[in-house]
Amino acid sequence: MAAMASTVTFSLPSPAIQTSFLPRTHRHPRFNKKRPFNFVSNKTVSCRASNGNENNEHSSSPNRFDRRDVLLGLGSVYGATNLVIDPFAVAAPIAAPDLDLCQKATVTSKTAGTIKVACCPPKSAKIIDFKPPEFSKIRYRPAAQLVGPEYLDKFTKAVELMKALPEDDPRSFMQQANVHCAYCDGAYDQVGFPDQELQVHFSWLFFPFHRLYLYFWERILGKLIDDPDFAIPYWNWDTPAGYALPAIYNDPKSPLYDEKRNVNHLPPVLIDLDYAGVDEEISKRDLIKSNLSLMYKQMVTYKTPSLFMGAAYRAGDPPAPGMGSIENVPHTPVHRWVGDTRQPFNEDMGNLYSAARDPVFFAHHANVDRMWTIWNSLPGKKRRDFTTTDWLDASFLFYDENANLVRAKVRDCLDTRPLGYEYQKVDLPWLNTKPAPRRPRQGKGQAKAAETSKTTVISNTFPIVLEKPVRIEVPRPKKSRTKLEKEDEEEVLVLQNIKLDRNVAVKFDVYINEEDGETPTEPADSEFAGSFTNLPHTQHSGGKKLDTKLTLPISDLLEDLDAEGDDSIVVTLVPKLGKGQVSIGNIKIEYVRD
Ligand code: C2O
């Protein structure tokens, strides 16, 4: 399908044309109602469905209109009617934003009120399409805990120079931090869809956006110290040797330092990747076990692109269709763990608008990016990237090392080698830390788990507002599947229409067939299916709640719990952070094949 589509790529008109064409105030483009070509093609449907992300609950949104109608409308306005003859011609990748329409980000919290943050980039008359230069050698991004003094000198010098650039230089440290703010806090709406925010989190854009963002940050640093081979470090939080905030960021005299960090989490304190806002009393041994088990779950048990990378997000879609594995955990907990609880919005790392003002953000995201490369290399025939042009042709704008505004596409960053870098190899101890059932199964696990308990509400009425732990029995449409069937389709637990205010920090955990015991379920237990997290952020249209979904793979887990023959499972939802502020529209089991 990719090959066919690429021969007839349909792209949106340039942002400049779009601007005059769909003024920002035009909330409901008239193309909405227009249906110049009314085709329903099975081919189109199967092509789209093959991404396994078509359970987008947003499609019932009252503001929603079919992006195809809109795109067809654009096509006909431009006289490009030949483009719509083949349904494959109608691609719907998210387009790079129109900088002329960028607006201030609104940051709010219940306790600290509202502030407006100006994080729009400088404008540029010219946009160049990104083409990575020919790199003569690979830059190796080192693990931050392993760098030597020579490297550290270079890195600190580079960041110092970046911080010394004039404020309006798009390569300056603050402007670079603002890039993140603009793409995350509703400064842009989607070109052609003034009702829809452009958001690079909570979807399949998460990995590629951040890869490109870091690439340009690194190239700017290299240019500033006149070392084109310079590579940024990564925070190796997936392995015990890297659990502490890297020491190079903790010297108050260094430009790598940021005082807006949680003072209880400075080195040598080790990170809890399951962090939910409270420092648990836990032995070092248990912490390591918990962290490694979480990494195993998030990396090994997520076996398809949509599960790992996030749900499809196309032009015209509401933001936040659903996070992938790593974005959810441990990406969000790491942010929260570093953010300063004394600051009104948990700046810097604890809020998306300010996160990239802390230099450690880039080390954190380098490790997130590294997880993408590792995931691709693990065995399994579905551990590959999406192949649809709706993903490959999604694009973003960045300023490069020469202060040129460039448009880069997802397809430009699928592999790190053409971008000139790789990651220093270190051990991956989590590959061997498969979680184990908490206790041997006695009789029907799910029947036992369904028993009433004092602390848990049993519910089957939706929506559920998560104030305290809730149990729900969820039927399984298929049971006792063969090995082949399981390889073909992953059984997933889907929590639909998860609604919350964007500015609230949230974490809740999901357990399966958990028998009520005295000890809490931990990531090292098979029963622990995963978590949902939200890092506070805001969108431009305000008021609207985040409406997203959580998809957790459970095939391996059900094998571990010996529950594959059961007609149903018992799901326990345990709010950890943001109690009473999240509601869940529905829970069901589905099968994804991507
Ligand atoms: Cu764009 Cu860690 O967030």
Side-chain angles (χ1 to χ4, degrees):
M1 178 245 150
M4 285 184 72
S6 65
T7 58
V8 281
T9 305
F10 174 89
S11 53
L12 285 164
S14 81
I17 302 172
Q18 285 277 320
T19 309
S20 51
F21 176 77
L22 280 178
R24 163 164 210 95
T25 48
H26 194 162
R27 304 313 281 183
H28 296 283
R30 72 177 68 85
F31 314 107
N32 186 351
K33 309 212 170 61
K34 201 163 157 186
R35 216 171 247 281
F37 297 91
N38 191 3
F39 62 77
V40 178
S41 156
N42 288 336
K43 263 184 168 176
T44 312
V45 170
S46 68
C47 168
R48 285 161 51 73
S50 71
N51 297 306
N53 275 309
E54 294 310 312
N55 307 304
N56 191 334
E57 296 310 302
H58 299 289
S59 47
S60 55
S61 142
N63 283 333
R64 178 163 175 109
F65 42 86
D66 192 312
R67 77 182 80 79
R68 279 185 171 67
D69 289 354
V70 176
L71 292 175
L72 292 170
L74 295 175
S76 64
V77 165
Y78 283 88
T81 45
N82 58 320
L83 286 175
V84 298
I85 292 168
D86 182 338
F88 287 109
V90 187
I94 295 269
D98 181 346
L99 300 193
D100 286 334
L101 298 182
C102 183
Q103 48 183 349
K104 283 185 180 163
T106 310
V107 182
T108 28
S109 93
K110 280 215 175 75
T111 46
T114 298
I115 53 167
K116 289 270 185 193
V117 184
C119 54
C120 294
K123 289 174 188 162
S124 163
K126 196 163 118 220
I127 300 176
I128 304 173
D129 279 313
F130 174 61
K131 248 185 81 96
E134 296 281 329
F135 293 107
S136 54
K137 72 185 231 213
I138 290 289
R139 312 183 292 280
Y140 282 91
R141 291 186 177 172
Q145 78 275 18
L146 298 176
V147 303
E150 210 185 303
Y151 175 89
L152 182 57
D153 275 355
K154 270 193 192 179
F155 183 36
T156 43
K157 183 78 203 160
V159 175
E160 189 185 316
L161 290 170
M162 191 184 237
K163 287 187 168 176
L165 285 173
E167 238 175 75
D168 59 351
D169 188 314
R171 299 163 301 181
S172 71
F173 186 82
M174 217 27 205
Q175 290 287 353
Q176 285 293 305
N178 283 345
V179 170
H180 192 253
C181 165
Y183 277 102
C184 315
D185 278 75
Y188 302 125
D189 39 42
Q190 295 178 33
V191 168
F193 302 89
D195 275 351
Q196 297 298 0
E197 176 191 351
L198 173 56
Q199 170 59 264
V200 295
H201 300 85
F202 298 94
S203 79
W204 67 6
L205 295 187
F206 175 76
F207 277 115
F209 168 82
H210 290 87
R211 173 168 288 176
L212 288 164
Y213 178 35
L214 263 61
Y215 167 84
F216 290 106
W217 199 72
E218 178 174 272
R219 298 300 292 159
I220 294 167
L221 292 176
K223 169 109 183 178
L224 288 169
I225 52 169
D226 201 17
D227 178 0
D229 298 326
F230 176 75
I232 59 173
Y234 65 88
W235 177 2
N236 194 188
W237 39 244
D238 57 302
T239 194
Y243 284 168
L245 184 110
I248 59 172
Y249 293 88
N250 194 38
D251 170 4
K253 292 185 297 291
S254 164
L256 304 179
Y257 184 74
D258 181 8
E259 61 177 15
K260 293 181 183 171
R261 290 182 188 145
N262 189 322
V263 287
N264 298 323
H265 296 159
L266 300 177
V269 178
L270 305 184
I271 195 166
D272 174 5
L273 298 179
D274 188 38
Y275 181 67
V278 183
D279 292 310
E280 315 262 357
E281 287 292 324
I282 181 169
S283 72
K284 185 171 169 190
R285 198 172 148 267
D286 287 347
L287 179 71
I288 291 175
K289 190 171 165 205
S290 166
N291 282 348
L292 293 178
S293 308
L294 261 188
M295 286 312 303
Y296 178 94
K297 261 184 227 259
Q298 302 304 99
M299 292 292 287
V300 180
T301 70
Y302 287 68
K303 296 172 188 155
T304 75
S306 67
L307 288 170
F308 184 72
M309 307 183 79
Y313 174 42
R314 299 182 174 89
D317 285 349
M323 278 183 283
S325 147
I326 295 294
E327 177 182 3
N328 193 2
V329 175
H331 162 256
T332 304
V334 173
H335 271 279
R336 295 292 302 170
W337 190 78
V338 180
D340 187 351
T341 47
R342 301 167 302 184
Q343 304 300 325
F345 300 99
N346 287 180
E347 289 97 338
D348 281 325
M349 279 281 276
N351 195 301
L352 284 182
Y353 97 87
S354 54
R357 295 176 182 181
D358 186 337
V360 87
F361 169 95
F362 297 91
H364 172 33
H365 270 276
N367 207 39
V368 167
D369 184 60
R370 180 174 157 260
M371 291 304 129
W372 182 11
T373 66
I374 294 172
W375 185 82
N376 278 142
S377 73
L378 296 178
K381 61 177 191 304
K382 295 188 177 180
R383 287 185 204 268
R384 43 162 181 73
D385 296 330
F386 297 101
T387 52
T388 171
T389 51
D390 287 350
W391 185 68
L392 294 168
D393 288 331
S395 59
F396 316 98
L397 297 177
F398 297 97
Y399 280 96
D400 70 6
E401 64 271 31
N402 301 312
N404 290 319
L405 186 60
V406 297
R407 181 191 291 110
K409 290 183 170 181
V410 167
R411 66 167 73 248
D412 297 325
C413 74
L414 302 182
D415 189 349
T416 69
R417 271 159 298 188
L419 296 174
Y421 74 90
E422 281 188 54
Y423 289 97
Q424 177 185 17
K425 295 236 185 317
V426 297
D427 283 349
L428 304 173
W430 46 262
L431 274 177
N432 310 311
T433 50
K434 190 174 195 304
R438 212 164 94 182
R439 57 176 71 97
R441 188 178 188 212
Q442 310 141 326
K444 282 266 175 210
Q446 53 100 355
K448 283 203 73 150
E451 285 165 15
T452 320
S453 86
K454 294 173 220 93
T455 51
T456 310
V457 184
I458 303 207
S459 174
N460 52 13
T461 39
F462 291 97
I464 292 171
V465 177
L466 265 191
E467 251 150 314
K468 47 179 176 164
V470 179
R471 295 192 163 194
I472 308 104
E473 184 163 3
V474 182
R476 295 175 67 218
K478 303 175 190 175
K479 57 181 185 177
S480 307
R481 296 188 303 146
T482 65
K483 187 161 180 283
L484 260 172
E485 285 169 329
K486 282 191 267 183
E487 271 166 18
D488 187 41
E489 286 186 329
E490 175 74 22
E491 184 164 351
V492 295
L493 184 69
V494 190
L495 279 64
Q496 296 172 317
N497 297 101
I498 302 175
K499 293 191 185 168
L500 56 138
D501 280 330
R502 286 151 204 271
N503 50 43
V504 180
V506 166
K507 181 171 185 286
F508 66 81
D509 295 340
V510 183
Y511 310 147
I512 289 179
N513 292 0
E514 195 262 344
E515 301 177 23
D516 232 359
E518 294 82 66
T519 46
T521 302
E522 302 288 351
D525 305 322
S526 300
E527 290 84 349
F528 189 104
S531 309
F532 173 86
T533 64
N534 178 52
L535 194 63
H537 63 289
T538 324
Q539 71 159 12
H540 64 73
S541 34
K544 259 192 246 162
K545 288 203 164 202
L546 184 72
D547 181 351
T548 188
K549 72 170 190 279
L550 174 68
T551 311
L552 300 171
I554 57 171
S555 292
D556 287 6
L557 179 156
L558 294 178
E559 268 179 28
D560 291 353
L561 297 180
D562 194 17
E564 294 189 281
D566 295 351
D567 296 321
S568 64
I569 56 172
V570 173
V571 175
T572 309
L573 306 177
V574 182
K576 291 286 176 89
L577 193 59
K579 285 184 189 150
Q581 309 207 57
V582 184
S583 73
I584 292 155
N586 196 16
I587 303 185
K588 59 183 188 179
I589 286 177
E590 289 177 0
Y591 300 86
V592 303
R593 53 149 54 101
D594 272 54

PDB file of all heavy atoms in Angstrom, residues 89-107:
ATOM      1  N   ALA A  89      -4.975   8.112  -3.396  1.00  0.00           N
ATOM      2  CA  ALA A  89      -4.368   9.425  -3.542  1.00  0.00           C
ATOM      3  C   ALA A  89      -4.717  10.316  -2.354  1.00  0.00           C
ATOM      4  O   ALA A  89      -4.044  11.294  -2.088  1.00  0.00           O
ATOM      5  CB  ALA A  89      -4.844  10.073  -4.827  1.00  0.00           C
ATOM      6  N   VAL A  90      -5.791  10.002  -1.656  1.00  0.00           N
ATOM      7  CA  VAL A  90      -6.224  10.873  -0.582  1.00  0.00           C
ATOM      8  C   VAL A  90      -5.541  10.473   0.713  1.00  0.00           C
ATOM      9  O   VAL A  90      -6.039   9.675   1.482  1.00  0.00           O
ATOM     10  CB  VAL A  90      -7.760  10.814  -0.414  1.00  0.00           C
ATOM     11  CG1 VAL A  90      -8.204  11.855   0.592  1.00  0.00           C
ATOM     12  CG2 VAL A  90      -8.419  11.061  -1.753  1.00  0.00           C
ATOM     13  N   ALA A  91      -4.384  11.002   0.893  1.00  0.00           N
ATOM     14  CA  ALA A  91      -3.673  10.742   2.137  1.00  0.00           C
ATOM     15  C   ALA A  91      -4.044  11.817   3.127  1.00  0.00           C
ATOM     16  O   ALA A  91      -4.471  12.893   2.745  1.00  0.00           O
ATOM     17  CB  ALA A  91      -2.177  10.747   1.879  1.00  0.00           C
ATOM     18  N   ALA A  92      -3.904  11.534   4.396  1.00  0.00           N
ATOM     19  CA  ALA A  92      -4.268  12.533   5.390  1.00  0.00           C
ATOM     20  C   ALA A  92      -3.211  12.665   6.473  1.00  0.00           C
ATOM     21  O   ALA A  92      -3.503  12.551   7.652  1.00  0.00           O
ATOM     22  CB  ALA A  92      -5.623  12.182   5.984  1.00  0.00           C
ATOM     23  N   PRO A  93      -1.962  12.877   6.077  1.00  0.00           N
ATOM     24  CA  PRO A  93      -0.956  13.090   7.118  1.00  0.00           C
ATOM     25  C   PRO A  93      -1.155  14.449   7.777  1.00  0.00           C
ATOM     26  O   PRO A  93      -1.641  15.380   7.138  1.00  0.00           O
ATOM     27  CB  PRO A  93       0.364  13.062   6.341  1.00  0.00           C
ATOM     28  CG  PRO A  93       0.005  13.457   4.947  1.00  0.00           C
ATOM     29  CD  PRO A  93      -1.412  13.001   4.721  1.00  0.00           C
ATOM     30  N   ILE A  94      -0.811  14.553   9.020  1.00  0.00           N
ATOM     31  CA  ILE A  94      -0.847  15.836   9.725  1.00  0.00           C
ATOM     32  C   ILE A  94       0.182  16.755   9.057  1.00  0.00           C
ATOM     33  O   ILE A  94       1.328  16.362   8.845  1.00  0.00           O
ATOM     34  CB  ILE A  94      -0.463  15.629  11.204  1.00  0.00           C
ATOM     35  CG1 ILE A  94      -1.504  14.761  11.899  1.00  0.00           C
ATOM     36  CG2 ILE A  94      -0.214  16.957  11.906  1.00  0.00           C
ATOM     37  CD1 ILE A  94      -2.639  15.477  12.569  1.00  0.00           C
ATOM     38  N   ALA A  95      -0.242  17.963   8.727  1.00  0.00           N
ATOM     39  CA  ALA A  95       0.656  18.899   8.046  1.00  0.00           C
ATOM     40  C   ALA A  95       1.436  19.742   9.051  1.00  0.00           C
ATOM     41  O   ALA A  95       0.976  19.971  10.170  1.00  0.00           O
ATOM     42  CB  ALA A  95      -0.157  19.804   7.135  1.00  0.00           C
ATOM     43  N   ALA A  96       2.596  20.206   8.621  1.00  0.00           N
ATOM     44  CA  ALA A  96       3.393  21.104   9.467  1.00  0.00           C
ATOM     45  C   ALA A  96       2.564  22.355   9.769  1.00  0.00           C
ATOM     46  O   ALA A  96       1.745  22.771   8.964  1.00  0.00           O
ATOM     47  CB  ALA A  96       4.680  21.482   8.748  1.00  0.00           C
ATOM     48  N   PRO A  97       2.761  22.939  10.942  1.00  0.00           N
ATOM     49  CA  PRO A  97       1.905  24.067  11.335  1.00  0.00           C
ATOM     50  C   PRO A  97       2.193  25.332  10.519  1.00  0.00           C
ATOM     51  O   PRO A  97       3.243  25.447   9.895  1.00  0.00           O
ATOM     52  CB  PRO A  97       2.286  24.297  12.798  1.00  0.00           C
ATOM     53  CG  PRO A  97       3.684  23.797  12.914  1.00  0.00           C
ATOM     54  CD  PRO A  97       3.771  22.632  11.965  1.00  0.00           C
ATOM     55  N   ASP A  98       1.246  26.242  10.563  1.00  0.00           N
ATOM     56  CA  ASP A  98       1.429  27.551   9.953  1.00  0.00           C
ATOM     57  C   ASP A  98       1.912  28.505  11.052  1.00  0.00           C
ATOM     58  O   ASP A  98       1.153  28.853  11.956  1.00  0.00           O
ATOM     59  CB  ASP A  98       0.071  28.007   9.398  1.00  0.00           C
ATOM     60  CG  ASP A  98       0.172  29.355   8.716  1.00  0.00           C
ATOM     61  OD1 ASP A  98       1.198  30.046   8.905  1.00  0.00           O
ATOM     62  OD2 ASP A  98      -0.778  29.709   7.991  1.00  0.00           O
ATOM     63  N   LEU A  99       3.153  28.908  10.958  1.00  0.00           N
ATOM     64  CA  LEU A  99       3.719  29.734  12.038  1.00  0.00           C
ATOM     65  C   LEU A  99       3.001  31.077  12.182  1.00  0.00           C
ATOM     66  O   LEU A  99       2.979  31.661  13.255  1.00  0.00           O
ATOM     67  CB  LEU A  99       5.217  29.968  11.814  1.00  0.00           C
ATOM     68  CG  LEU A  99       6.118  28.722  11.755  1.00  0.00           C
ATOM     69  CD1 LEU A  99       7.581  29.123  11.839  1.00  0.00           C
ATOM     70  CD2 LEU A  99       5.787  27.725  12.861  1.00  0.00           C
ATOM     71  N   ASP A 100       2.413  31.558  11.085  1.00  0.00           N
ATOM     72  CA  ASP A 100       1.692  32.836  11.161  1.00  0.00           C
ATOM     73  C   ASP A 100       0.492  32.756  12.092  1.00  0.00           C
ATOM     74  O   ASP A 100       0.003  33.770  12.566  1.00  0.00           O
ATOM     75  CB  ASP A 100       1.199  33.243   9.764  1.00  0.00           C
ATOM     76  CG  ASP A 100       2.343  33.731   8.900  1.00  0.00           C
ATOM     77  OD1 ASP A 100       3.349  34.207   9.469  1.00  0.00           O
ATOM     78  OD2 ASP A 100       2.244  33.619   7.666  1.00  0.00           O
ATOM     79  N   LEU A 101      -0.014  31.556  12.280  1.00  0.00           N
ATOM     80  CA  LEU A 101      -1.210  31.409  13.104  1.00  0.00           C
ATOM     81  C   LEU A 101      -0.892  30.939  14.525  1.00  0.00           C
ATOM     82  O   LEU A 101      -1.791  30.618  15.289  1.00  0.00           O
ATOM     83  CB  LEU A 101      -2.175  30.421  12.451  1.00  0.00           C
ATOM     84  CG  LEU A 101      -2.717  30.821  11.080  1.00  0.00           C
ATOM     85  CD1 LEU A 101      -3.700  29.779  10.578  1.00  0.00           C
ATOM     86  CD2 LEU A 101      -3.392  32.183  11.157  1.00  0.00           C
ATOM     87  N   CYS A 102       0.388  30.893  14.845  1.00  0.00           N
ATOM     88  CA  CYS A 102       0.772  30.435  16.177  1.00  0.00           C
ATOM     89  C   CYS A 102       0.230  31.407  17.226  1.00  0.00           C
ATOM     90  O   CYS A 102       0.233  32.617  17.034  1.00  0.00           O
ATOM     91  CB  CYS A 102       2.305  30.368  16.259  1.00  0.00           C
ATOM     92  SG  CYS A 102       2.902  29.729  17.830  1.00  0.00           S
ATOM     93  N   GLN A 103      -0.257  30.862  18.322  1.00  0.00           N
ATOM     94  CA  GLN A 103      -0.740  31.738  19.390  1.00  0.00           C
ATOM     95  C   GLN A 103      -0.158  31.325  20.736  1.00  0.00           C
ATOM     96  O   GLN A 103       0.382  30.230  20.878  1.00  0.00           O
ATOM     97  CB  GLN A 103      -2.257  31.736  19.437  1.00  0.00           C
ATOM     98  CG  GLN A 103      -2.847  30.331  19.402  1.00  0.00           C
ATOM     99  CD  GLN A 103      -4.361  30.343  19.383  1.00  0.00           C
ATOM    100  OE1 GLN A 103      -4.987  31.366  19.602  1.00  0.00           O
ATOM    101  NE2 GLN A 103      -4.946  29.183  19.140  1.00  0.00           N
ATOM    102  N   LYS A 104      -0.311  32.226  21.708  1.00  0.00           N
ATOM    103  CA  LYS A 104       0.263  31.934  23.024  1.00  0.00           C
ATOM    104  C   LYS A 104      -0.330  30.666  23.624  1.00  0.00           C
ATOM    105  O   LYS A 104      -1.496  30.356  23.400  1.00  0.00           O
ATOM    106  CB  LYS A 104      -0.021  33.096  23.977  1.00  0.00           C
ATOM    107  CG  LYS A 104       0.896  34.271  23.730  1.00  0.00           C
ATOM    108  CD  LYS A 104       0.675  35.352  24.768  1.00  0.00           C
ATOM    109  CE  LYS A 104       1.611  36.517  24.478  1.00  0.00           C
ATOM    110  NZ  LYS A 104       1.213  37.736  25.167  1.00  0.00           N
ATOM    111  N   ALA A 105       0.484  29.991  24.403  1.00  0.00           N
ATOM    112  CA  ALA A 105      -0.011  28.808  25.108  1.00  0.00           C
ATOM    113  C   ALA A 105      -0.639  29.261  26.426  1.00  0.00           C
ATOM    114  O   ALA A 105      -0.141  30.184  27.077  1.00  0.00           O
ATOM    115  CB  ALA A 105       1.132  27.845  25.364  1.00  0.00           C
ATOM    116  N   THR A 106      -1.724  28.627  26.786  1.00  0.00           N
ATOM    117  CA  THR A 106      -2.381  28.943  28.043  1.00  0.00           C
ATOM    118  C   THR A 106      -2.066  27.828  29.022  1.00  0.00           C
ATOM    119  O   THR A 106      -2.366  26.672  28.757  1.00  0.00           O
ATOM    120  CB  THR A 106      -3.907  29.009  27.842  1.00  0.00           C
ATOM    121  OG1 THR A 106      -4.164  29.853  26.732  1.00  0.00           O
ATOM    122  CG2 THR A 106      -4.605  29.535  29.072  1.00  0.00           C
ATOM    123  N   VAL A 107      -1.454  28.176  30.130  1.00  0.00           N
ATOM    124  CA  VAL A 107      -1.085  27.162  31.110  1.00  0.00           C
ATOM    125  C   VAL A 107      -1.917  27.401  32.361  1.00  0.00           C
ATOM    126  O   VAL A 107      -1.929  28.505  32.894  1.00  0.00           O
ATOM    127  CB  VAL A 107       0.419  27.241  31.428  1.00  0.00           C
ATOM    128  CG1 VAL A 107       0.820  26.160  32.406  1.00  0.00           C
ATOM    129  CG2 VAL A 107       1.237  27.119  30.143  1.00  0.00           C
TER     130      VAL A 107
END
